[in-house]
Amino acid sequence: MANASNGDSYTSEFLPYFTIQLTPPTLSEIAEVLQNGMQSLFHDIKVDIARCPYLTTAPYNLAGVGLGGNTSVVEFVHDGINVPWNYRTRNIQDVLTTSCHDSFIIGSTYATKPHMPYYGHLIMNATYRAPMDIRNESRLIFAERHNGQTRIKKLTDPNQMIYINKGSFFISEGGVLKMTNGSVACNLMWGDYEEPMLESFHDFIRRQQCPEIHLQSDMIAVGTIINDKLKFISAERRYDVNLYDRNEFHCFSNYGAGGQFISDITPDTTEYEGYFNVAENMSVIPFT
């Protein structure tokens, strides 16, 4: 946990979501499960209960101080809705301004036109202070079609917090991962596509480019780990990695590289340092 909390209590009569109270294990129990479960995946791994660094400082440069206070995981669901995936939208402002607490929100999702300036991988990163003070420091990552260059656009307009189709976020806490050394592979969307988009979301994800990124310095990823049954999407053939409809982490850096994390391609070299907290509640946002 961080040294400072991320906000105070605030109430609203209307909530665009319903909340399920969770019964999480203790931090010690979770640490033991992660240590044992990931032992075979890394050369060396150590899972500890530790104090989170100040996330507003480099290399994280996030909007909130840390991962403590009023912990919730937020999910967007739309099963059975007959609407094209790139028009299944929600504005995170509606969630924050009707929530019960001042908040720091981080998470991974997607953006599309005309709701947002570009198509791309959206890293939500913002703070909210009741009743209407939103500081948006989110990032939109995409490739420019005319030159193939990756672009990371920092979003500061509170009205540019609209996500589409699927998203998992942490309110007042979350998961932050720092990657150092070697190279990683990340899916990357173009900033523009021809309309209408007739293919399914999973077919769209399957055909994304997956460039290799050499880690010039620390790369930061945010996302969620949810203890639920994984739904297989596709295999990324170039790196022989299975893609699932859960546990996505989207990455950004200060040297213009990022996207949806797929895998490291230098397992003997790449190092990870992650900080996570445990959600006490799950808020489910239905598409209406």
Side-chain angles (χ1 to χ4, degrees):
M1 280 202 179
N3 291 327
S5 63
N6 283 307
D8 300 318
S9 178
Y10 174 71
T11 58
S12 173
E13 293 183 359
F14 171 75
L15 297 177
Y17 54 83
F18 60 90
T19 299
I20 303 169
Q21 188 170 0
L22 305 177
T23 54
T26 65
L27 291 178
S28 298
E29 291 171 329
I30 293 174
E32 182 179 358
V33 169
L34 291 176
Q35 178 74 44
N36 295 336
M38 296 192 295
Q39 196 77 50
S40 62
L41 303 177
F42 298 91
H43 292 301
D44 297 292
I45 184 169
K46 185 177 182 181
V47 180
D48 282 330
I49 300 173
R51 183 176 296 275
C52 179
Y54 280 96
L55 298 179
T56 53
T57 61
Y60 304 99
N61 298 318
L62 297 179
V65 173
L67 305 179
N70 312 317
T71 57
S72 297
V73 63
V74 178
E75 284 222 304
F76 180 38
V77 296
H78 51 77
D79 291 343
I81 300 298
N82 188 24
V83 176
W85 65 266
N86 54 323
Y87 281 84
R88 298 169 184 164
T89 64
R90 270 295 189 184
N91 191 338
I92 204 67
Q93 275 197 81
D94 297 336
V95 178
L96 294 177
T97 56
T98 56
S99 68
C100 295
H101 298 91
D102 293 354
S103 303
F104 165 40
I105 181 170
I106 58 174
S108 59
T109 182
Y110 300 87
T112 62
K113 289 183 173 182
H115 325 288
M116 294 284 278
Y118 304 93
Y119 278 78
H121 304 273
L122 178 58
I123 295 177
M124 202 68 76
N125 172 38
T127 57
Y128 163 68
R129 295 292 180 266
M132 287 297 293
D133 180 14
I134 295 177
R135 181 162 63 95
N136 185 17
E137 295 187 10
S138 301
R139 291 168 175 84
L140 185 55
I141 305 167
F142 57 93
E144 296 181 325
R145 281 196 180 272
H146 69 279
N147 59 14
Q149 294 297 308
T150 301
R151 183 176 171 189
I152 300 179
K153 180 175 177 60
K154 188 172 182 179
L155 306 174
T156 57
D157 185 346
N159 295 312
Q160 293 182 341
M161 301 177 71
I162 300 173
Y163 63 97
I164 57 96
N165 191 64
K166 66 189 297 283
S168 294
F169 312 101
F170 276 108
I171 300 289
S172 291
E173 58 100 23
V176 179
L177 194 66
K178 180 177 70 174
M179 293 172 280
T180 307
N181 300 326
S183 299
V184 299
C186 289
N187 264 351
L188 189 61
M189 295 168 59
W190 296 110
D192 290 283
Y193 292 88
E194 289 187 9
E195 299 281 357
M197 300 281 288
L198 301 178
E199 62 187 342
S200 70
F201 176 73
H202 287 173
D203 287 341
F204 174 80
I205 292 298
R206 286 187 186 100
R207 66 181 179 90
Q208 299 308 305
Q209 54 180 319
C210 191
E212 297 179 8
I213 300 172
H214 177 67
L215 299 179
Q216 301 175 23
S217 60
D218 294 332
M219 176 174 280
I220 303 302
V222 300
T224 60
I225 299 176
I226 298 177
N227 183 20
D228 201 355
K229 185 177 181 180
L230 295 175
K231 183 178 179 181
F232 176 76
I233 298 177
S234 178
E236 212 303 312
R237 292 185 176 86
R238 185 176 179 186
Y239 303 106
D240 193 28
V241 174
N242 290 337
L243 304 182
Y244 296 94
D245 195 24
R246 286 282 185 173
N247 306 336
E248 291 184 9
F249 279 75
H250 290 186
C251 314
F252 67 93
S253 66
N254 61 7
Y255 48 90
Q260 177 195 358
F261 177 79
I262 299 299
S263 179
D264 66 57
I265 52 181
T266 53
D268 294 332
T269 306
T270 306
E271 299 177 1
Y272 300 87
E273 181 178 304
Y275 295 91
F276 299 87
N277 203 347
V278 182
E280 299 170 353
N281 301 284
M282 171 173 279
S283 298
V284 180
I285 307 171
F287 178 84
T288 55

